[in-house]
Amino acid sequence: MKNSGWEVSGENMDINNFMSTKDYAKTLDQEDPLVSYSEEFYLNPGMINMDGNSLGLLSKRAEKSLMKS
């Protein structure tokens, strides 16, 4: 299987070293280079967002822009 190229704790993440645990998911979240953008969205602690549309959640910045119009 071809490697995904993602780096996780110095290892390439692929099907052979992926773990389906909550702790591993939290580690991936913390190491995500886009984690700083999560503050731009309305997220409920303890809830999982499973938005099915390709645009995702409305950002606070987008909401502010719409409210100005």
Side-chain angles (χ1 to χ4, degrees):
M1 174 171 268
K2 187 174 180 179
N3 189 307
S4 67
W6 291 353
E7 285 288 325
V8 180
S9 301
E11 300 175 12
N12 286 322
M13 187 175 88
D14 64 26
I15 195 70
N16 296 317
N17 65 16
F18 182 83
M19 295 175 281
S20 59
T21 65
K22 191 172 187 175
D23 287 337
Y24 186 63
K26 286 181 179 182
T27 299
L28 292 177
D29 285 347
Q30 291 170 351
E31 294 180 2
D32 187 333
L34 302 176
V35 71
S36 62
Y37 291 99
S38 64
E39 294 177 8
E40 292 198 26
F41 297 89
Y42 295 106
L43 302 173
N44 295 320
M47 301 283 294
I48 298 172
N49 176 43
M50 297 186 76
D51 191 335
N53 78 43
S54 62
L55 298 177
L57 293 173
L58 178 68
S59 69
K60 294 174 185 177
R61 192 182 326 178
E63 179 185 45
K64 187 175 181 179
S65 175
L66 288 172
M67 298 307 263
K68 284 183 186 178
S69 300

